[in-house]
Amino acid sequence: MQLGAFASAFRTPDLRRKLLFVLGIIALFRIGSVVPTPGVDYKAVQTCLSQVQDNPILGLVNLFSGGALLQLSIFALGIMPYITASIIMQLLTVVIPRLEALKDEGQSGNSTITQYTRYLTIGLSILQSTSIITIARTPGRLLPGCNQQLIPDQSIFLLIVMVFTLTAGTSLIMWLAELITDKGVGNGMSVLIFTSIIATFPGQLINIYRSNGAFTFLMTLAIGIVTIMGVVFVEQAQRRVPVQYAKRMVGRKQYGGTSTYIPLKVNMAGVVPVIFASSLLYIPTLAVNLSGSTAPWAQWIATNLSKGENWVYMLLYGALIIFFTYFYVAITFNPKETADNFKNYGGFIPGIRAGSPTEDYLQYVISRLTAPGSVYLAIIAIIPLIAFGVLGVGNRFLFGGTSLLIMVGVGLDTVKQIESQLQQRSYEGFLR
């Protein structure tokens, strides 16, 4: 990332207002992450957090809430229900013809899909808040190893108020994210996720230094920096498929005759496969904790799927990431639709005939890119688990695949948007 872009942005009045607006919302978001939910014993929560070092349970949701989940604050659910709803709607758009038709309508159709996403977010928030409160009611289940009573008063009315509060907190976060997208810089949902991840790092690093010493602390930083460098390198990598547009006359004006390219990224799926895989592996652990079962199957899940350092977890995690990468790329990139668009606008790939041959060629290129892209995602997600398991850091440091991919992706995207808006106001960049 270029610090000069931020310096130039703060010297531009319009961009400065947008950046300050985003910073103000981030501050409000972080304040809500520490305000306790009504009915929660705040002192008991802080006592448990000081006693419990490793907490694999609900780790993914806690990551996206910036640590607010384990504190049972009003923003405990974070942006996770909104992410899940967005992914579900994106998948349903491919499956349900009505939603696909809405997507093709343009801005009005996308507005309707966005409204459906909001409704689904509320429904998921009610389900997740009910599950979390159910777990927190029993001492030692939300924070294993601590038997403090986190919710002293368990009357039905208070529990309903808690569910309503957590759901309202997610609704507020969803609104704040949309405000950032409309009036600020960058994608609001991504910016808030980025903020949540970054907010947990200082405390985790301090815990590593105090618990494991300076050497482990430095090695952890070194692994994180090397992994970030690899992520930046691959995230910027792309295959440029050349496209030539034929000349055509419309009246007295000539159109076409230009050359361009389609930038196909090595990692076209982004962080979605990692989120899918993490969420799917999280479901068995959640089921065990909700049921409180001590059956053999529950013990196997607790042993093999509750901690990332276990080899069974790593194998399943990597296999699911590869599967979901192919799955997500297949539903988000349609070679046939792209080939038809080329044909309709007089475009063609040099050396490839228009129509079906172009579709086959694009499918071939996508398959060749998805293979290394899926393996890359699996490696990025698993290597930190192995390294931090060897170092004995465990779950105190979530410098894993999900957090790294989100941090790098959001950082690069935000800087590109800032530079793009700067270029709209000044053409200095083209004169260098």
Side-chain angles (χ1 to χ4, degrees):
M1 293 191 294
Q2 302 177 7
L3 295 178
F6 288 98
S8 300
F10 273 100
R11 288 195 296 267
T12 306
D14 185 27
L15 273 178
R16 182 171 62 244
R17 285 194 296 270
K18 290 184 177 181
L19 290 174
L20 291 176
F21 177 77
V22 172
L23 291 175
I25 289 185
I26 289 175
L28 179 61
F29 175 65
R30 291 308 303 160
I31 291 173
S33 299
V34 297
V35 176
T37 302
V40 174
D41 189 339
Y42 184 74
K43 291 183 178 180
V45 170
Q46 296 305 311
T47 301
C48 286
L49 290 177
S50 63
Q51 293 177 358
V52 180
Q53 295 296 327
D54 291 324
N55 190 71
I57 311 230
L58 308 175
L60 181 66
V61 184
N62 191 55
L63 172 65
F64 286 112
S65 67
L69 172 64
L70 297 183
Q71 298 192 44
L72 294 176
S73 69
I74 60 175
F75 286 172
L77 298 181
I79 200 74
M80 193 63 182
Y82 192 25
I83 297 173
T84 307
S86 300
I87 294 174
I88 291 174
M89 290 302 300
Q90 193 170 13
L91 296 177
L92 291 179
T93 301
V94 182
V95 178
I96 302 177
R98 170 58 180 163
L99 293 178
E100 188 175 4
L102 285 174
K103 183 180 179 181
D104 294 337
E105 289 179 5
Q107 183 63 35
S108 60
N110 289 330
S111 299
T112 304
I113 293 177
T114 300
Q115 193 64 26
Y116 290 160
T117 305
R118 293 168 182 161
Y119 295 147
L120 183 57
T121 301
I122 299 300
L124 291 175
S125 300
I126 294 174
L127 290 176
Q128 291 186 16
S129 60
T130 304
S131 301
I132 291 170
I133 292 172
T134 301
I135 295 173
R137 288 175 61 186
T138 304
R141 292 182 66 184
L142 181 65
L143 296 169
C146 180
N147 295 321
Q148 294 281 340
Q149 184 62 262
L150 303 181
I151 306 177
D153 184 0
Q154 299 188 8
S155 62
I156 297 298
F157 175 76
L158 184 57
L159 294 178
I160 293 175
V161 170
M162 294 179 69
V163 171
F164 178 81
T165 302
L166 294 179
T167 304
T170 298
S171 303
L172 179 58
I173 293 174
M174 180 171 59
W175 179 62
L176 294 176
E178 293 179 355
L179 283 180
I180 292 177
T181 303
D182 295 338
K183 300 182 180 181
V185 177
N187 181 278
M189 184 170 64
S190 300
V191 170
L192 292 184
I193 294 173
F194 179 86
T195 303
S196 299
I197 295 172
I198 292 296
T200 62
F201 273 22
Q204 291 168 340
L205 288 172
I206 291 173
N207 286 336
I208 292 172
Y209 181 79
R210 291 176 178 174
S211 303
N212 300 84
F215 175 77
T216 302
F217 173 79
L218 294 176
M219 288 297 296
T220 302
L221 283 181
I223 293 171
I225 292 172
V226 171
T227 310
I228 287 176
M229 292 172 61
V231 171
V232 172
F233 178 77
V234 178
E235 289 296 316
Q236 296 286 73
Q238 58 183 227
R239 168 75 180 275
R240 296 183 176 183
V241 178
V243 179
Q244 179 74 38
Y245 286 92
K247 294 181 181 180
R248 54 180 179 153
M249 297 296 295
V250 180
R252 295 185 177 181
K253 294 185 178 181
Q254 178 177 293
Y255 294 91
T258 59
S259 298
T260 182
Y261 61 87
I262 309 174
L264 300 178
K265 296 180 62 178
V266 174
N267 179 25
M268 293 189 64
V271 74
V272 173
V274 181
I275 295 177
F276 275 13
S278 302
S279 302
L280 197 60
L281 286 177
Y282 160 72
I283 291 175
T285 304
L286 177 61
V288 170
N289 283 277
L290 286 175
S291 63
S293 175
T294 57
W297 64 269
Q299 295 178 6
W300 187 89
I301 289 175
T303 303
N304 296 287
L305 299 183
S306 62
K307 291 188 177 182
E309 296 87 352
N310 189 282
W311 66 271
V312 176
Y313 182 95
M314 293 182 189
L315 288 177
L316 289 175
Y317 194 29
L320 287 173
I321 289 174
I322 293 174
F323 169 77
F324 281 124
T325 301
Y326 275 93
F327 176 75
Y328 190 75
V329 171
I331 66 173
T332 54
F333 183 83
N334 190 340
K336 185 179 187 304
E337 182 180 350
T338 305
D340 290 341
N341 290 334
F342 287 165
K343 189 175 182 179
N344 294 335
Y345 291 98
F348 62 93
I349 299 174
I352 307 296
R353 294 178 57 187
S356 181
T358 299
E359 177 187 346
D360 295 339
Y361 177 76
L362 290 175
Q363 185 62 56
Y364 169 77
V365 173
I366 287 297
S367 299
R368 293 288 295 271
L369 286 176
T370 305
S374 62
V375 175
Y376 148 77
L377 283 177
I379 291 174
I380 289 298
I382 292 175
I383 279 184
L385 297 178
I386 299 174
F388 300 135
V390 171
L391 292 173
V393 175
N395 294 300
R396 290 193 299 274
F397 191 54
L398 298 174
F399 224 149
T402 308
S403 56
L404 282 179
L405 289 168
I406 291 175
M407 285 191 303
V408 172
V410 174
L412 292 174
D413 181 65
T414 303
V415 171
K416 287 180 181 178
Q417 290 197 29
I418 292 175
E419 290 181 340
S420 175
Q421 295 194 32
L422 285 173
Q423 287 180 356
Q424 292 178 5
R425 294 163 175 78
S426 172
Y427 293 94
E428 179 183 357
F430 295 101
L431 302 177
R432 293 177 181 176

